[in-house]
């Protein structure tokens, strides 16, 4: 083990991927599967949160004010979803993703360019990110339900799926307005 790795792990009380013993009535295998699934959704959610903040900071054009406020509102809602997912992972005895490099390595949500995008490009990117989350979330919710992890299923359906569907609808409506030339 090199010296840098030793320094990086100094004080670590639980390795990433390990489960702490918790008494919540779920077998270790179920908890482990749910932690992996939830960490993937957490990575996606963190990537989407960051995409919303970038859009908020860099939006421009005729609908600037409206989009500026919408992007910030959706950002805050994604932060709340992140917190709920992270708390569920901890409840299951797992360790959450927390660092940008981990998120980039786990999420398949496309990264935005560094430069400022047009409002339609921002909206398209956000709609695609929501779709990625929703395509991953639904089967993960079913798998949690099938494994008897009702808490994770409820979180995924009631918070992740519902919020992302609603936000995606709002983004879709703005895309439709942009296409109409509003």
């Amino acid at each position: 083990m090199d010296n840098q790795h030793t320094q990086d792990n100094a004080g670590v009380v639980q390795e990433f991927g390990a489960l702490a013993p918790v008494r919540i009535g779920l077998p270790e295998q179920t908890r482990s599967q749910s932690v992996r699934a939830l960490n993937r959704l957490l990575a996606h959610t963190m990537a989407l949160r960051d995409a919303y903040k970038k859009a908020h900071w860099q939006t421009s054009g005729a609908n600037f004010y409206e989009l500026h406020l919408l992007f910030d509102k959706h950002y805050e809602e994604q932060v709340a979803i992140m917190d709920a997912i992270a708390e569920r992972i901890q409840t299951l005895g797992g360790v959450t993703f927390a660092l940008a490099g981990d998120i980039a390595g786990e999420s398949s949500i496309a990264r935005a360019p560094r430069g400022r995008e047009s409002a339609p490009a921002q909206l398209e990117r956000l709609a695609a990110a929501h779709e990625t989350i929703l395509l991953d979330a639904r089967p993960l919710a079913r798998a949690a339900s099938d494994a008897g992890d009702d808490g994770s299923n409820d979180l995924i359906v009631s918070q992740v799926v519902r919020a992302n569907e609603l936000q995606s609808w709002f983004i879709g409506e703005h895309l439709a307005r942009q296409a109409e030339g509003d």
Side-chain angles (χ1 to χ4, degrees):
M1 192 177 319
D2 67 11
N3 192 26
Q4 181 63 42
H5 183 72
T6 303
Q7 289 175 350
D8 289 348
N9 285 334
V12 170
V13 296
Q14 183 179 350
E15 293 292 331
F16 185 83
L19 288 178
V22 294
R23 297 173 69 179
I24 61 170
L26 287 173
E28 185 174 331
Q29 180 179 358
T30 299
R31 292 187 299 118
S32 179
Q33 290 171 335
S34 290
V35 165
R36 281 192 305 277
L38 289 166
N39 260 320
R40 181 163 177 81
L41 288 177
L42 179 60
H44 288 332
T45 302
M46 293 172 89
L48 180 55
R49 171 208 59 188
D50 293 347
Y52 269 115
K53 187 52 80 174
K54 181 186 186 307
H56 169 78
W57 286 335
Q58 296 182 356
T59 195
S60 63
N63 294 15
F64 165 80
Y65 187 70
E66 183 179 3
L67 290 176
H68 186 73
L69 294 178
L70 178 71
F71 293 156
D72 201 42
K73 180 181 184 297
H74 284 195
Y75 167 88
E76 293 296 335
E77 290 169 355
Q78 290 297 322
V79 168
I81 294 167
M82 277 175 32
D83 196 49
I85 294 170
E87 287 174 355
R88 181 65 187 167
I89 291 168
Q90 296 295 120
T91 300
L92 293 166
V95 177
T96 63
F97 282 129
L99 302 173
D102 297 331
I103 294 359
E106 181 68 19
S107 180
S108 58
I109 290 178
R111 291 178 62 190
R114 286 185 176 176
R116 181 182 285 181
E117 294 178 286
S118 68
Q122 288 175 320
L123 292 165
E124 276 295 339
R125 183 175 305 288
L126 293 166
H130 282 293
E131 189 169 30
T132 296
I133 290 172
L134 290 165
L135 288 170
D136 269 6
R138 289 186 184 103
L140 294 175
R142 284 189 291 277
S145 178
D146 291 346
D149 184 357
D150 298 324
S152 294
N153 170 271
D154 178 61
L155 168 71
I156 295 168
V157 172
S158 68
Q159 294 189 44
V160 177
V161 171
R162 288 189 182 145
N164 279 280
E165 285 177 343
L166 186 61
Q167 287 184 352
S168 183
W169 175 58
F170 272 83
I171 296 300
E173 289 298 309
H174 279 279
L175 274 169
R177 285 179 52 196
Q178 295 282 329
E180 294 170 0
D182 186 13

